[in-house]
């Protein structure tokens, strides 16, 4: 029987080979090009590199035509410049483009504040200046846009109450390097944002020092009861992790962390892209050409007859502290009468009633005339929005209640409109090593005894201090001093 004839690669037709090569990544494609001359020619096939240019660099036909070179050469050109960021570039570039497209329509004056990208040389110089390595996802984002100019409004969101205003600028890398921290309690921390009015900054830890995880973003919160000024609590700002806490507070899930996994949101890419997602999807409202960081639970809506009430909330770290426990929240309420309601349904708000339930089960009732000193009249299609605030001595509470209205056509007709239950949950916070090591009091121990209730605890014996979550029953005596 004659031996079967061998089939050589260079004898196979091109189409099936190209189809197989189309499933390879750019590294494997380059490796295949070294096998023989035939594969070397096929691996430079332009359609293969067009797909890879689109995938990794988000390049279009217009970009290729403008460059005047082949897709293969265009990929090489971008890789020489941005190759170290290839796992981050497409995600961050897409986020920036989505954000700019949104801002152009809704907040156009912010577009002019964006700075051109930094160069590799500039980023290397910053690393030499601060003596720390910048994470690649941070560097990649700053290659696209080097933050924004120091103007108002800030790109990273605003918050406004009657006597308090905050607007956070995304710092350019040079300004951030000028605020790089070496003081005890904040060593190796780089500011990401800054607010002119409050002095508030979000920071990123560049090294796992003093109880912080590497590349974790947070708001610092000095311990006002400690004699040691280096006792700094941290409000963690990784968004996915904060969402877990809201879910747990609402009874839809339980917060937990595997022993060897960093908290979600502990890198710049997730911190930035999660923020952009909330902006472009409308999760954060646009108010007077500014982005406001209110959080709205889609289930937090109640309709009574022709009137719908919805609530969004926000935590203000600059007005809060862990020690002593003082957690400041603001909430924004939208009251809307259906446009299909009859003119006879027109009514006016007379009073409000609140039922506040603390995380340790205490209940308080508050009632008073109007809302923030107003008595809005509701007519078909009318929308009335207002913001108010409250403070608690526990980091998670919920409120619900009703408004009392009367009909304009008949003042004797009085009725209640339900306010849906809404939760106010501060971000998870971590206590500093300097306190947890030197002052392991019963106060700290009582926190750690409640992990089964859904709070987050560091129970694996590492040196990262204590990360506190929700439902902290050890902080008793929650109170609500005022509702503006």
């Amino acid at each position: 029987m004659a031996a079967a004839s061998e089939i050589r690669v260079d004898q196979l037709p091109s189409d099936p080979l190209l189809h197989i090569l189309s499933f390879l990544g750019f590294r494997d494609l380059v490796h295949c090009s070294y096998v023989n001359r035939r594969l070397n020619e096929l691996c430079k096939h332009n359609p293969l590199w067009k797909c890879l240019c689109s995938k990794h660099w988000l390049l279009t036909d217009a970009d290729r035509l403008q460059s005047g070179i082949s897709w293969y050469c265009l990929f090489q050109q971008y890789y020489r410049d941005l190759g170290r960021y290839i796992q981050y570039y497409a995600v961050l570039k897409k986020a920036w483009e989505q954000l700019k497209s949104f801002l152009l329509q809704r907040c156009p004056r912010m577009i002019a504040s964006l700075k051109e990208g930094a160069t590799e040389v500039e980023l290397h110089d910053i690393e030499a200046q601060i003596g720390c390595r910048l994470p690649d996802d941070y560097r990649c984002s700053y290659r696209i846009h080097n933050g924004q100019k120091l103007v108002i409004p800030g790109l990273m969101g605003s918050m406004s109450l009657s006597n308090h205003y905050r607007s956070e600028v995304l710092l350019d890398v040079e300004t951030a390097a000028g605020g790089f921290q070496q003081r005890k309690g904040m060593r190796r921390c780089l500011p990401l944002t800054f607010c002119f009015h409050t002095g508030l900054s979000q920071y990123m830890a560049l090294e796992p020092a003093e109880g912080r995880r590497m590349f974790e973003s947070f708001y610092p919160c000095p311990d006002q009861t400690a004699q040691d000024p280096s006792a700094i609590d941290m409000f963690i700002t990784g968004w996915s992790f904060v969402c877990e806490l809201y879910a747990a507070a609402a009874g839809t899930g339980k917060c937990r962390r595997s022993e060897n996994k960093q908290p979600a949101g502990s890198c710049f890419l997730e911190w930035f892209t999660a923020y952009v997602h909330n902006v472009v999807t409308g999760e954060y409202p646009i108010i007077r050409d500014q982005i406001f960081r209110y959080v709205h639970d889609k289930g937090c809506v109640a309709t009574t007859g022709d009137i719908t009430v919805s609530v969004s909330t926000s935590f203000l770290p600059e007005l809060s502290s862990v020690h002593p426990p003082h957690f400041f929240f603001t909430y924004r309420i939208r009251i809307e009468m259906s446009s299909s309601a009859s003119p006879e349904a027109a009514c006016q708000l007379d009073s409000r009633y609140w039922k506040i339930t603390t995380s340790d089960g205490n209940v308080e009732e508050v009632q008073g005339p109007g809302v923030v000193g107003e008595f809005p009249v509701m007519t078909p299609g009318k929308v009335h929005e207002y913001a108010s605030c409250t403070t608690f001595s526990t980091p998670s509470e919920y409120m619900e209640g009703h408004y009392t209205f009367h009909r304009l056509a008949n003042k004797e007709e009085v009725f209640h409109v339900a306010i849906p239950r809404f939760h106010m949950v501060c971000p998870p916070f971590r206590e500093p090593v300097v306190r947890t090591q030197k002052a392991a009091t019963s106060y700290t121990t009582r926190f750690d005894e409640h992990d089964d209730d859904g709070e987050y605890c560091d129970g694996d014996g590492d040196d990262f201090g204590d990360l506190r979550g929700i439902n902290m029953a050890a902080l008793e005596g929650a109170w609500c001093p005022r509702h503006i």
Side-chain angles (χ1 to χ4, degrees):
M1 185 175 179
S5 59
E6 294 183 357
I7 299 179
R8 296 166 53 90
V9 172
D10 56 8
Q11 294 174 335
L12 291 174
S14 296
D15 286 347
L17 283 175
L18 288 172
H19 181 68
I20 293 171
L21 293 174
S22 70
F23 291 96
L24 301 183
F26 73 96
R27 289 187 178 86
D28 291 331
L29 207 54
V30 171
H31 292 157
C32 283
S33 69
Y34 295 134
V35 173
N36 58 34
R37 182 175 297 177
R38 176 80 188 288
L39 283 179
N40 183 273
E41 294 173 352
L42 291 175
C43 286
K44 293 180 182 178
H45 191 56
N46 247 332
L48 297 175
W49 292 97
K50 177 181 179 179
C51 292
L52 292 170
C53 280
S54 175
K55 175 183 178 181
H56 294 293
W57 313 124
L58 304 184
L59 298 175
T60 64
D61 286 322
D63 297 317
R64 209 279 304 169
L65 288 173
Q66 185 177 7
S67 71
I69 58 179
S70 68
W71 286 108
Y72 174 68
C73 292
L74 191 58
F75 187 95
Q76 285 184 314
Q77 184 182 92
Y78 269 75
Y79 190 80
R80 280 193 295 268
D81 184 30
L82 298 165
R84 68 179 290 177
Y85 311 123
I86 196 163
Q87 63 177 313
Y88 307 116
Y89 182 85
V91 175
L92 286 166
K93 179 68 172 178
K94 183 178 180 181
W96 271 112
E97 292 304 316
Q98 288 177 328
L99 182 59
K100 288 192 294 183
S101 177
F102 179 89
L103 295 177
L104 190 61
Q105 297 180 24
R106 304 294 303 278
C107 308
R109 59 178 168 157
M110 284 191 191
I111 291 290
S113 74
L114 298 180
K115 302 183 73 172
E116 295 296 323
T119 66
E120 282 295 288
V121 172
E122 289 170 336
L123 291 171
H124 285 315
D125 289 346
I126 292 298
E127 288 185 330
Q129 175 185 333
I130 65 177
C132 274
R133 180 177 70 86
L134 298 171
D136 278 349
D137 53 352
Y138 176 90
R139 290 178 60 114
C140 180
S141 181
Y142 277 70
R143 286 295 312 272
I144 299 169
H145 279 291
N146 185 14
Q148 68 174 138
K149 301 171 186 176
L150 297 178
V151 296
I152 299 298
L155 184 69
M156 303 309 292
S158 300
M159 185 54 58
S160 179
L161 294 170
S162 60
N163 58 353
H164 182 81
Y165 177 75
R166 179 229 304 167
S167 185
E168 290 184 54
V169 172
L170 179 64
L171 292 175
D172 62 75
V173 69
E174 296 84 3
T175 305
F180 181 67
Q181 298 294 310
Q182 291 283 29
R183 62 188 172 93
K184 189 177 180 182
M186 288 288 290
R187 289 185 181 129
R188 304 291 193 270
C189 292
L190 184 76
L192 295 173
T193 68
F194 179 72
C195 170
F196 295 101
H197 298 83
T198 67
L200 182 73
S201 285
Q202 290 186 72
Y203 284 85
M204 175 172 59
L206 297 187
E207 291 183 4
E210 299 175 317
R212 289 175 291 274
R213 302 185 191 277
M214 183 174 285
F215 306 147
E216 186 171 54
S217 57
F218 66 96
Y219 285 111
C221 176
D223 183 347
Q224 300 176 22
T225 66
Q227 294 182 351
D228 188 341
S230 67
I232 305 292
D233 296 293
M234 298 167 53
F235 289 115
I236 312 299
T237 56
W239 183 248
S240 295
F241 203 27
V242 175
C243 286
E244 287 185 39
L245 293 178
Y246 273 89
T252 57
K254 182 178 180 180
C255 303
R256 57 172 62 92
R257 174 180 66 89
S258 61
E259 288 188 4
N260 298 315
K261 183 179 179 182
Q262 281 187 285
S266 57
C267 66
F268 177 88
L269 181 140
E270 185 167 338
W271 175 83
F272 181 73
T273 56
Y275 176 77
V276 171
H277 172 80
N278 284 330
V279 172
V280 302
T281 59
E283 290 294 318
Y284 289 156
I286 305 300
I287 305 172
R288 294 184 296 278
D289 199 28
Q290 296 186 55
I291 303 165
F292 276 69
R293 293 210 308 257
Y294 281 104
V295 179
H296 175 64
D297 179 356
K298 288 182 172 58
C300 191
V301 178
T303 299
T304 305
D306 297 315
I307 299 179
T308 297
V309 177
S310 60
V311 188
S312 54
T313 63
S314 184
F315 173 71
L316 273 62
E318 68 271 27
L319 298 179
S320 301
S321 68
V322 175
H323 292 83
H326 179 84
F327 303 97
F328 195 104
F329 299 91
T330 178
Y331 52 90
R332 186 173 180 83
I333 296 186
R334 176 185 174 93
I335 307 171
E336 181 176 8
M337 177 172 273
S338 172
S339 58
S340 62
S342 67
E344 291 76 17
C347 54
Q348 184 173 20
L349 190 150
D350 294 321
S351 63
R352 69 192 185 279
Y353 163 80
W354 292 114
K355 179 182 177 182
I356 304 118
T357 304
T358 67
S359 56
D360 56 5
N362 290 330
V363 176
E364 181 183 0
E365 295 179 286
V366 177
Q367 54 188 341
V371 288
V372 292
E374 298 181 337
F375 300 85
V377 172
M378 303 303 297
T379 55
K382 174 76 176 294
V383 173
H384 181 79
E385 293 183 295
Y386 73 94
S388 188
C389 60
T390 186
T391 59
F392 296 107
S393 61
T394 53
S396 66
E397 324 292 332
Y398 65 84
M399 293 170 55
E400 57 197 323
H402 64 255
Y403 298 119
T404 300
F405 282 82
H406 72 265
R407 299 289 181 196
L408 294 183
N410 179 12
K411 292 186 178 181
E412 300 300 320
E413 185 181 348
V414 176
F415 61 98
H416 292 163
V417 171
I419 305 171
R421 176 181 296 185
F422 57 97
H423 294 264
M424 286 170 286
V425 185
C426 83
F429 57 85
R430 183 175 296 124
E431 295 184 46
V433 173
V434 66
R435 182 170 64 240
T436 56
Q437 287 182 345
K438 296 179 180 179
T441 66
S442 60
Y443 177 76
T444 300
T445 303
R446 290 176 66 188
F447 267 119
D448 295 339
E449 290 174 352
H450 291 280
D451 189 43
D452 290 339
D453 292 332
E455 80 175 71
Y456 178 90
C457 296
D458 255 342
D460 52 5
D462 61 23
D463 61 350
F464 292 115
D466 296 306
L467 183 61
R468 309 305 185 196
I470 63 168
N471 197 19
M472 300 183 181
L475 293 176
E476 298 177 354
W479 61 293
C480 180
R482 63 173 181 160
H483 299 275
I484 297 174

